[in-house]
Amino acid sequence: MSSVSIHNGISINYQDEGDKKAPAIILIMGLGAQMTLWPDELFYGLADAGYRVIRFDNRDAGLSTQLEHYGKPSLIKSWLSTRLPLRAKAPYTLEEMAEDTLALMKALKVKRAHLVGASMGGMIAQLIAAKQKKKVLSLTSIMSTSSALKLTHSNLKVFVQLAGMRPSKTNRDAAINYNIRLNQLIGSPGYPQDERTLKRQAIETVDRAYNPHGFQRQLAAMAASGSRQNLMAKVKAPTLVIHGAADPIIPSQEGEKTAQQIRKSKLKIVPGMGHNFPPELTPKLIKWISKHVRKSEAKRAKKLAQKAQKPDWGKEPLQ
């Protein structure tokens, strides 16, 4: 793992594996999550499939720059802004986080990439695909939405439970226990993980980095950024939408809606999958993503070949 300074004093921690001459896949993680939440099996599996694969910590997560000078946004105000006609005041936006991704691509000399985003990362990937078309070879949006952040009956219940479980004091044991409960609440009911596994994952996550205020600033960015539905028609890259049928945070209907808004996109609703990456589904995710990327590459190669064969009548010599 390495770090690179990108812009505005922000340093991004990243991991870059696979053939550097191969097509690049960039994995963009979600709210408050570190890049290590992309399962190693998925990360290295895509690299083994013949791609250059890059995962990274977003600003305010993991080992990337923590923007503590912005303070601690109010979660209540952020949540209220999803239900009322107002925008929460946020230290930054999803658009700025999208700029981080583009700046990282530039720093790593990646001109174009296949973007794979999970949850908030899917929202960031959608923005880039809509506004920076030439930078995006394909889009895979996982457990995400094109809608504005909003509370539903189901996810409100989860958020209330999580709010009640948040440790009042920041210490290692409390953070680990909170992480375990979080993953029990948002995990996949069809692929439950035992508490020993969840505890091991929680320890690894907390010991690597822990910054709850960063989570709140990212949440404020999501609340302030609004809907992307009007942008989805601008997405021209081949798109795959993957969503869990049992997602308690972002209902599967949101994945269906996103797929409907992007022309010729493919949709996979996964039975039993919640808002996480259960190990049992990793082989399928590798298969789906690599197949999607491979088809996108083949389609691009065909277009380039057709363009090369097309006569340029404007440059024909005069007889």
Side-chain angles (χ1 to χ4, degrees):
M1 296 184 187
S2 306
S3 290
V4 62
S5 179
I6 52 170
H7 58 189
N8 300 329
I10 292 175
S11 178
I12 295 294
N13 188 257
Y14 69 93
Q15 186 175 4
D16 185 354
E17 298 290 341
D19 183 356
K20 300 301 180 286
K21 295 180 180 180
I25 297 176
I26 296 183
L27 307 177
I28 311 173
M29 188 32 79
L31 175 63
Q34 303 181 45
M35 67 175 175
T36 48
L37 259 70
W38 289 108
D40 284 348
E41 294 79 5
L42 174 62
F43 179 67
Y44 289 107
L46 291 172
D48 289 341
Y51 301 105
R52 179 183 182 182
V53 189
I54 299 164
R55 60 180 172 179
F56 66 97
D57 291 323
N58 285 305
R59 62 166 71 187
D60 260 335
L63 301 178
S64 289
T65 298
Q66 306 292 330
L67 302 173
E68 290 295 330
H69 60 281
Y70 283 126
K72 177 184 174 182
S74 168
L75 288 178
I76 293 176
K77 288 182 179 179
S78 295
W79 289 343
L80 283 176
S81 73
T82 70
R83 299 297 291 267
L84 301 174
L86 55 85
R87 281 284 168 260
K89 186 177 180 180
Y92 50 81
T93 64
L94 291 185
E95 283 80 3
E96 289 173 89
M97 298 184 76
E99 290 171 6
D100 290 349
T101 303
L102 292 167
L104 177 63
M105 288 172 60
K106 184 177 180 180
L108 299 182
K109 295 181 171 56
V110 176
K111 292 183 179 180
R112 293 174 291 274
H114 299 274
L115 300 186
V116 180
S119 194
M120 181 188 73
M123 302 174 192
I124 293 170
Q126 291 166 13
L127 283 170
I128 299 172
K131 295 185 174 184
Q132 297 287 339
K133 300 179 185 66
K134 293 183 179 180
K135 299 287 186 181
V136 183
L137 296 171
S138 76
L139 168 66
T140 301
S141 181
I142 306 174
M143 61 183 89
S144 192
T145 175
S146 59
S147 303
L149 179 66
K150 59 185 176 182
L151 295 176
T152 64
H153 176 74
S154 59
N155 67 19
L156 177 60
K157 182 179 178 181
V158 174
F159 285 137
V160 169
Q161 287 179 283
L162 290 175
M165 295 182 325
R166 291 188 70 85
S168 57
K169 296 181 179 180
T170 302
N171 62 68
R172 181 174 180 272
D173 288 342
I176 289 169
N177 289 332
Y178 176 77
N179 194 283
I180 293 170
R181 292 295 305 279
L182 166 65
N183 285 293
Q184 287 174 330
L185 279 173
I186 70 173
S188 300
Y191 305 92
Q193 292 178 278
D194 61 84
E195 191 160 336
R196 180 181 297 180
T197 300
L198 291 175
K199 184 174 182 178
R200 174 179 56 77
Q201 294 172 345
I203 290 172
E204 291 173 354
T205 297
V206 172
D207 285 351
R208 182 174 184 266
Y210 181 64
N211 180 13
H213 295 168
F215 164 88
Q216 291 174 247
R217 288 189 288 270
Q218 288 186 356
L219 180 62
M222 289 172 61
S225 294
S227 172
R228 290 162 303 286
Q229 292 186 38
N230 63 323
L231 293 174
M232 292 303 94
K234 297 182 180 181
V235 175
K236 303 304 179 185
T239 299
L240 171 64
V241 177
I242 302 173
H243 213 109
D247 192 325
I249 300 296
I250 301 177
S252 60
Q253 290 86 347
E254 291 297 320
E256 294 171 353
K257 188 188 302 181
T258 302
Q260 290 169 359
Q261 293 163 350
I262 301 175
R263 188 171 178 267
K264 293 185 178 180
S265 64
K266 305 295 183 183
L267 173 67
K268 288 190 179 294
I269 299 296
V270 188
M273 180 180 175
H275 204 75
N276 72 334
F277 292 107
E280 295 89 345
L281 289 178
T282 297
K284 289 185 177 181
L285 289 169
I286 294 172
K287 178 182 177 182
W288 294 335
I289 295 170
S290 58
K291 181 179 179 181
H292 176 58
V293 169
R294 187 168 61 251
K295 283 188 173 183
S296 301
E297 285 292 317
K299 184 177 180 180
R300 177 169 172 260
K302 184 177 180 180
K303 283 186 176 180
L304 290 174
Q306 290 174 340
K307 186 176 181 181
Q309 292 173 359
K310 187 176 180 180
D312 191 344
W313 300 111
K315 294 183 179 180
E316 282 293 309
L318 295 174
Q319 300 297 323

